[in-house]
Amino acid sequence: MGDTTDLSRRRLLQYLGLGAVATAVIPEWVFAAVEQGAPERSGPSDPDVEIGMTALTTEVPILSSDRPTKVWRFSGELIKGPSGTVEEIPGSYLGPILRLRQGQKVRIRFHNKLPEDCVIHQHGLLVPEKADGHPRHQIGSGQTSVYEFTVLDRAGTYWFHPHTDKRTAEQAYYGMAGLILVTDTEEQLLDLPRHEHDIPLVIQDRSFDDRNQLRYIAHMHDRWMGFLGDRLLVNGKPDFVLPAATRAYRLRILNGSNSRIYKLVWSDGSPLTVIGTDGGLLESPAVRNYVMLAPGERVDLWTDFRGRKLGDEITLRSAAFSGVMPMMGMGGGMMGMGRGMGGGMMGGMGAALPNGAECPILTVRIVREDRSDQPALPRRLSQIQRYRPQDAANARNPRSIHLSMMGMSPRLNGRSFELTKVVEDEIIPLNTLQLLEFVNRDHRARGMMMAHPMHIHGQTFQVLKRELAPGFEQRYASVSQGFIDNGWKDTVLVMPGEKVTILKRFDRYTGLYLYHCHNLEHENMDMMRNFLVQA
């Protein structure tokens, strides 16, 4: 091997942090490509916004003030930037809300006061690998790290949470999550509800013991299925009541649960008007009788309470549905049903509130009449430039990612996560449009198939189509009308028997970007892999 190739190999391995063992899974042509351009340096030298973020342990009164609950959480402070950039949620274990604007240069100084490693993932934002939260950048207890990036994304509801190797699920469960609300000129020109009428709502399920302490997974089967709690919390609080006026609101809803999927409905049968999803506003409002929301997904609702009376109450519920859980147990026998579940579905190994069970999420109570002039729902929300399949670099050869659950080992294309390793079909040229398909059709374990919310780090993507294999129609029936696929996404729920095809660009930054199941227990069990974006 010549001197130039040796230099290319050393540069790539140094950049990736790989040892010699990794050379077996990276083809030779990749090393030569390194000479064509080094990874882009993108950290702002003079940030517009600087934030101090600390991961710490503390106690919060969740169920009662006299018996607080021990939690892990993010705490933030504004060092530099506009007033209101960092907003703590009073009395909540959740981290702060970060309010950013497109084009701002951001620096986050992260200090880890937890008793273990931690790293922060800016979920949904396109940022350099060093700021994206790859577990190879996690830091130890007592250490500090700096994340620097420019806000490139359009207005939308994003969030941040840990991405620590094999500890993401536990760290998120014990409280570590916060919101990132981005605005831009396009959004500012719209007459949407603002300020106190623009309300973020984080939905999570939790379980508590008789001392009000959080109770996590006790059995391996529950870990394999994903954690399911028996209490619904909103913004870190149980029995959440939202006081409202007779006017229009924007409700930004995040499914921050580890594995629970929600089927959002209003208790009085009113339709839901969706104005945004993971990556921001839709082109125009979408009206649905119900909306499916998987872990990691967000949805923005235009909700109008005009015409209601003082004292009226309306409940946002998760309606009963089926089809997302395995059909049979490991031994082939049918598992017991949970309340509200469809025939033959495992509800979570005896969970008090199975996945798919009907349950209340929050109550809206009308406490004030508002007779002021109010915004009308815009008929046009935003402009979205649609990708075309024929423009993909691999238009005739989609990258297929097969989801499997064989032997209680969640896998992607039969592979588990290895910190910095990639194989040839996971290497993607920079500045290309790629056609990818998530295939949830493991016929070797048909009875064990379950729904997987698939998340890709980096740029958002567009869902091109959903295709269902014959024989799965009944499992699909109670959820099929609730997918909002006509906007920008970073997480997509892939049902058993489904193939979901997406179009995604890989622009701006080189490096390792994760793709994984956002059932966080599955992520912990290595249902995660790397894409190497290479110049």
Side-chain angles (χ1 to χ4, degrees):
M1 193 177 294
D3 292 342
T4 300
T5 305
D6 287 340
L7 176 61
S8 298
R9 183 184 299 277
R10 288 196 299 272
R11 286 180 58 189
L12 181 60
L13 293 180
Q14 288 169 359
Y15 168 61
L16 295 178
L18 300 173
V21 66
T23 62
V25 295
I26 299 181
E28 291 296 324
W29 62 266
V30 179
F31 295 104
V34 178
E35 291 303 316
Q36 298 176 13
E40 178 180 345
R41 177 176 172 80
S42 57
S45 57
D46 184 23
D48 304 307
V49 172
E50 189 164 359
I51 297 167
M53 190 73 68
T54 302
L56 49 81
T57 59
T58 187
E59 293 185 341
V60 174
I62 299 176
L63 300 183
S64 70
S65 57
D66 58 340
R67 302 188 77 176
T69 303
K70 296 177 182 178
V71 297
W72 294 15
R73 69 183 299 265
F74 290 117
S75 177
E77 76 171 309
L78 181 63
I79 300 171
K80 176 185 177 182
S83 174
T85 297
V86 179
E87 177 187 341
E88 296 282 351
I89 303 176
S92 176
Y93 57 74
L94 288 169
I97 299 171
L98 307 183
R99 298 184 182 272
L100 303 176
R101 188 179 182 94
Q102 187 182 66
Q104 282 181 326
K105 299 176 181 180
V106 179
R107 176 180 293 151
I108 298 176
R109 297 187 180 275
F110 172 52
H111 184 48
N112 181 18
K113 289 188 177 181
L114 298 178
E116 63 184 47
D117 291 357
C118 191
V119 68
I120 304 176
H121 169 45
Q122 331 297 330
H123 184 124
L125 297 186
L126 173 59
V127 297
E129 183 213 293
K130 181 67 190 315
D132 186 59
H134 194 285
R136 78 188 189 95
H137 297 301
Q138 63 194 41
I139 59 173
S141 180
Q143 295 182 334
T144 299
S145 183
V146 177
Y147 306 132
E148 295 184 319
F149 57 90
T150 299
V151 181
L152 302 174
D153 299 271
R154 63 202 300 264
T157 304
Y158 306 92
W159 64 305
F160 62 96
H161 59 80
H163 225 293
T164 314
D165 191 26
K166 295 181 176 58
R167 292 290 296 164
T168 297
E170 287 87 345
Q171 290 183 354
Y173 176 74
Y174 285 106
M176 302 184 70
L179 287 168
I180 303 173
L181 306 185
V182 174
T183 190
D184 61 12
T185 301
E186 183 182 49
E187 181 187 68
Q188 290 295 315
L189 291 174
L190 291 171
D191 193 13
L192 295 176
R194 305 182 191 280
H195 309 302
E196 71 270 22
H197 307 125
D198 180 357
I199 302 175
L201 300 166
V202 181
I203 306 172
Q204 297 169 310
D205 59 333
R206 298 290 186 264
S207 289
F208 298 84
D209 63 20
D210 56 7
R211 297 173 297 132
N212 291 349
Q213 300 307 305
L214 288 166
R215 183 172 54 205
Y216 190 52
I217 283 174
H219 305 289
M220 183 60 189
H221 279 86
D222 289 336
R223 184 175 298 277
W224 179 76
M225 300 282 287
F227 172 83
L228 296 171
D230 55 16
R231 296 288 298 266
L232 267 290
L233 307 182
V234 175
N235 292 350
K237 299 176 182 179
D239 307 317
F240 188 87
V241 176
L242 175 63
T246 53
R247 58 158 296 124
Y249 286 81
R250 179 180 183 175
L251 305 183
R252 302 175 185 252
I253 302 177
L254 159 67
N255 182 351
S257 298
N258 279 32
S259 75
R260 185 176 296 279
I261 299 166
Y262 300 96
K263 181 179 180 178
L264 303 179
V265 299
W266 287 114
S267 58
D268 66 351
S270 299
L272 290 86
T273 301
V274 180
I275 61 173
T277 53
D278 301 351
L281 295 172
L282 302 178
E283 291 175 298
S284 58
V287 179
R288 296 285 191 276
N289 290 325
Y290 63 89
V291 172
M292 300 304 300
L293 199 65
E297 287 187 306
R298 288 87 67 205
V299 64
D300 287 14
L301 302 180
W302 173 284
T303 307
D304 198 336
F305 300 119
R306 283 175 285 192
R308 297 187 181 272
K309 300 177 182 178
L310 286 177
D312 281 358
E313 291 187 349
I314 180 173
T315 301
L316 183 67
R317 305 184 63 83
S318 184
F321 63 93
S322 62
V324 299
M325 303 305 286
M327 293 287 289
M328 294 186 293
M330 294 302 295
M334 302 304 290
M335 298 301 296
M337 288 291 303
R339 176 176 56 89
M341 299 295 291
M345 304 295 153
M346 278 169 42
M349 294 302 294
L353 189 61
N355 213 343
E358 183 177 358
C359 59
I361 297 173
L362 62 87
T363 298
V364 177
R365 182 176 297 150
I366 306 301
V367 299
R368 182 172 60 87
E369 291 186 356
D370 189 338
R371 295 188 173 90
S372 63
D373 291 337
Q374 297 182 31
L377 175 65
R379 298 179 66 179
R380 188 76 175 176
L381 294 165
S382 71
Q383 183 174 351
I384 294 179
Q385 182 179 356
R386 294 285 168 186
Y387 296 150
R388 302 188 308 168
Q390 60 266 36
D391 294 334
N394 61 334
R396 297 184 179 181
N397 187 28
R399 296 174 187 265
S400 293
I401 302 169
H402 292 262
L403 321 179
S404 63
M405 297 290 293
M406 284 291 290
M408 299 187 71
S409 299
R411 293 291 181 262
L412 300 174
N413 285 335
R415 307 174 187 127
S416 60
F417 180 60
E418 297 176 88
L419 187 63
T420 54
K421 288 188 179 180
V422 295
V423 296
E424 187 169 352
D425 61 9
E426 295 173 321
I427 299 172
I428 296 181
L430 181 66
N431 298 327
T432 62
L433 176 66
Q434 295 287 325
L435 192 62
L436 299 96
E437 52 189 26
F438 294 113
V439 184
N440 193 4
R441 297 175 178 175
D442 188 356
H443 296 291
R444 299 168 302 165
R446 185 182 178 97
M448 299 310 299
M449 294 166 62
M450 61 187 297
H452 295 282
M454 296 305 301
H455 172 52
I456 307 179
H457 289 212
Q459 278 167 279
T460 51
F461 54 78
Q462 291 175 353
V463 177
L464 185 62
K465 58 183 175 179
R466 293 176 178 268
E467 299 171 89
L468 191 66
F472 287 88
E473 294 83 0
Q474 184 177 359
R475 296 190 67 177
Y476 201 67
S478 65
V479 302
S480 62
Q481 301 304 308
F483 300 121
I484 310 295
D485 290 336
N486 54 334
W488 292 101
K489 298 285 292 175
D490 60 56
T491 306
V492 61
L493 184 63
V494 186
M495 290 289 291
E498 235 187 351
K499 178 171 72 174
V500 178
T501 304
I502 69 170
L503 283 164
K504 183 183 189 301
R505 289 201 63 84
F506 291 81
D507 290 340
R508 189 82 180 200
Y509 303 120
T510 56
L512 291 174
Y513 286 86
L514 297 165
Y515 64 98
H516 60 88
C517 179
H518 218 282
N519 177 320
L520 294 184
E521 282 69 42
H522 289 179
E523 178 186 324
N524 271 20
M525 296 175 71
D526 291 336
M527 195 173 188
M528 178 164 64
R529 293 287 301 178
N530 292 306
F531 283 130
L532 170 61
V533 183
Q534 177 65 63

